[in-house]
Amino acid sequence: MPESELQTSPRVLELLRFAVPWDAAVAIVGQELDGLGMRQVTPLVPTGRALAGLSDEDAVERVDALRADGCEFLIVGASAFTWLGERPRLGDRLETRYRLAARDPDAGAVFALHERPAQPGADGLPLPPADMIRMTSGLYRHASDAGVLYRRYEEGGAKSAAFIREFLGRAGVDMSGVDALLDFGCGCGRVVRHWAGLPGEVRGSDYNPNLVRWCADNLPFAQFDVNEGEPPLPYADDSFDFLYSISIFTHLDEPLQRPWMDELVRVVRPGGLILITVSGEVYARRLPGWEHLRERFETGRLVVRRPERTGSNSCSVLHPREYLDTLIGGLELVALEPGVRPAGWQDAVLLRTPER
C-alpha cells in the first residue's frame, strides 16, 4: 500500500507481510490496527459497542458469523491480548477450529479462519494450511471455499510439474537425470512436492519464512532456505543443473528484474538450464484493464502495477517480448512457449547459461 496509507506500526506490518494476502478480508481488534488499509477490514466489535462489553459467547458468535460472511483472518493487536485472554471460549475456538498463523508479542497475532486440510494430499504428503495457499495463489474469489483452494493447489501443482517434465524433455533433458535442482519461489510446495522421487538433490527457496518453515517440516525429501527480497541467494556459485521459477518475475518491480536474473545465472552451472514464467501478450490480453495497459506494453516497456507491493501477488508485472529479450541478455533462448495454461496463461521461457 502507498506510504501515505500506513498508520500502523512497522512491527505490525511486518507481522502481516508474511501471513495475510493484500486482498484478504480481515476482522480486526486492537487500537494499533486503525487504518490498516487492507481490501476489506471489519471491526470485530460492531460500531457503537465497547470492546469490553463483547462477552465471550458473543465474541465466538461474531467471529463465526464473519467467517460465514467471507472473512478470512482475525487480526488481534497486542493491545487486545489481555481482552482475548479474558475470553477462554474465543481462545479455544481460535486454536481448535481455526489456526494461529503468526504472532509477535509486541505487535499482535493473526488467526486464519479457513477450514483445516484433510490429511494427507493425493500424493501421500501433508497439505499446507489453506491460508498459506492463499498467500501464494491469489484465489480471492474462492477464499471462502477451502475445498476449491486445495483442489487448485493439488491439480495446479501436478499440471505444472508435468509441464516442466515435458518442456525439459523437448530440450533433451530427463528430470531424473538432474543432479541438483532449485525451485526459486517455492511457496508452500505446490510444485516441488512432485519431485519426491527424484534421485538428485532437490532444494527450494522463498522469501516468506512461514512458507519455508512449513516446507522444511513437511517435505523431508528436499532442503529449503529463506532468501531475502533482493539477491543474493544463500547458495554458492554453480550449485544447480536446473533452476525453475514459476510466477516470480511476474511480481517483481523493474529494479529487481535484472539483479534477480543475474543471481539465478550465478547459482546455475555453466550449460545449465533456467526456466522462468512471465506474463506476456497472451496473458496481458486476457486482463480486464488491457486497453489501459496496451500502449506501454506495445512499446516494449515493462508494465508494473502496484510496484510498492513488489514480491507479493498484488504486484503484477507484464513482460513484452522486447523487454524479455533485454532481460535474457547473453543467455541462450532454448525454448519459449506463449500462454501456457498450467502456468496460468503465462509464457514459459527456457534458458541455458553460457559455458565458461
Side-chain angles (χ1 to χ4, degrees):
M1 65 189 74
E3 290 296 328
S4 60
E5 295 182 16
L6 301 182
Q7 298 178 31
T8 49
S9 73
R11 192 75 175 258
V12 171
L13 294 173
E14 187 68 10
L15 173 72
L16 304 185
R17 177 187 177 197
F18 297 119
V20 182
W22 282 95
D23 59 1
V26 302
I28 61 172
V29 57
Q31 59 189 12
E32 64 269 66
L33 300 176
D34 291 341
L36 190 57
M38 304 296 287
R39 177 170 178 165
Q40 181 180 337
V41 176
T42 303
L44 178 64
V45 181
T47 302
R49 294 189 61 177
L51 181 62
L54 191 68
S55 71
D56 199 359
E57 182 176 346
D58 288 345
V60 171
E61 292 180 358
R62 175 70 171 162
V63 168
D64 288 348
L66 287 170
R67 176 56 196 152
D69 198 37
C71 185
E72 294 184 75
F73 296 88
L74 171 64
I75 306 172
V76 179
S79 65
F81 278 168
T82 299
W83 173 88
L84 179 60
E86 294 170 347
R87 285 155 180 80
R89 286 193 61 199
L90 177 59
D92 181 69
R93 189 70 153 188
L94 294 174
E95 291 178 7
T96 57
R97 179 171 181 177
Y98 304 122
R99 189 182 87 86
L100 177 64
R103 189 180 190 280
D104 181 324
D106 297 318
V110 177
F111 296 93
L113 306 181
H114 303 83
E115 295 176 23
R116 292 178 179 270
Q119 297 285 351
D123 54 10
L125 293 168
L127 292 171
D131 55 284
M132 290 188 175
I133 298 176
R134 272 285 286 122
M135 281 298 298
T136 58
S137 69
L139 293 172
Y140 177 75
R141 291 179 299 169
H142 305 294
S144 296
D145 190 337
V148 171
L149 294 179
Y150 282 111
R151 185 167 65 251
R152 292 287 188 91
Y153 173 87
E154 293 199 82
E155 292 178 355
K159 290 177 180 178
S160 294
F163 172 77
I164 291 173
R165 284 184 181 273
E166 186 270 337
F167 201 43
L168 284 187
R170 279 189 267 153
V173 177
D174 186 336
M175 283 291 293
S176 63
V178 174
D179 290 333
L181 74 79
L182 173 67
D183 181 332
F184 171 59
C186 63
C188 51
R190 185 178 67 96
V191 177
V192 73
R193 65 190 294 126
H194 295 278
W195 311 134
L198 292 182
E201 178 186 17
V202 177
R203 301 193 76 139
S205 75
D206 200 280
Y207 89 125
N208 187 322
N210 299 339
L211 306 183
V212 170
R213 190 178 306 113
W214 185 89
C215 287
D217 290 343
N218 293 277
L219 306 178
F221 62 89
Q223 298 181 61
F224 296 93
D225 302 282
V226 177
N227 60 258
E228 300 298 329
E230 299 180 4
L233 288 168
Y235 308 113
D237 295 357
D238 307 339
S239 292
F240 304 100
D241 303 297
F242 173 52
L243 180 155
Y244 65 87
S245 184
I246 306 299
S247 195
I248 300 300
F249 281 83
T250 54
H251 303 297
L252 297 177
D253 191 14
E254 187 160 9
L256 291 174
Q257 294 275 327
R258 168 54 60 185
W260 271 121
M261 179 59 74
D262 291 343
E263 180 63 4
L264 301 192
V265 173
R266 180 187 71 80
V267 300
V268 173
R269 295 164 185 162
L273 294 173
I274 298 173
L275 169 61
I276 66 170
T277 66
V278 297
S279 297
E281 186 170 352
V282 173
Y283 179 94
R285 287 183 176 276
R286 296 171 62 88
L287 295 174
W290 164 241
E291 289 303 321
H292 301 290
L293 308 171
R294 182 172 186 169
E295 180 179 358
R296 181 176 178 88
F297 186 90
E298 292 186 344
T299 58
R301 293 175 291 170
L302 194 72
V303 178
V304 183
R305 298 184 294 170
R306 297 177 292 277
E308 70 279 3
R309 302 180 186 179
T310 185
S312 74
N313 283 344
S314 189
C315 176
S316 177
V317 180
L318 307 177
H319 289 75
R321 180 57 192 271
E322 294 87 343
Y323 184 91
L324 179 62
D325 288 342
T326 300
L327 182 64
I328 292 171
L331 300 173
E332 176 190 349
L333 178 60
V334 178
L336 189 156
E337 185 166 334
V340 176
R341 189 166 186 177
W345 304 106
Q346 295 175 18
D347 298 352
V349 185
L350 186 61
L351 309 166
R352 192 184 307 278
T353 59
E355 298 285 354
R356 294 198 292 271

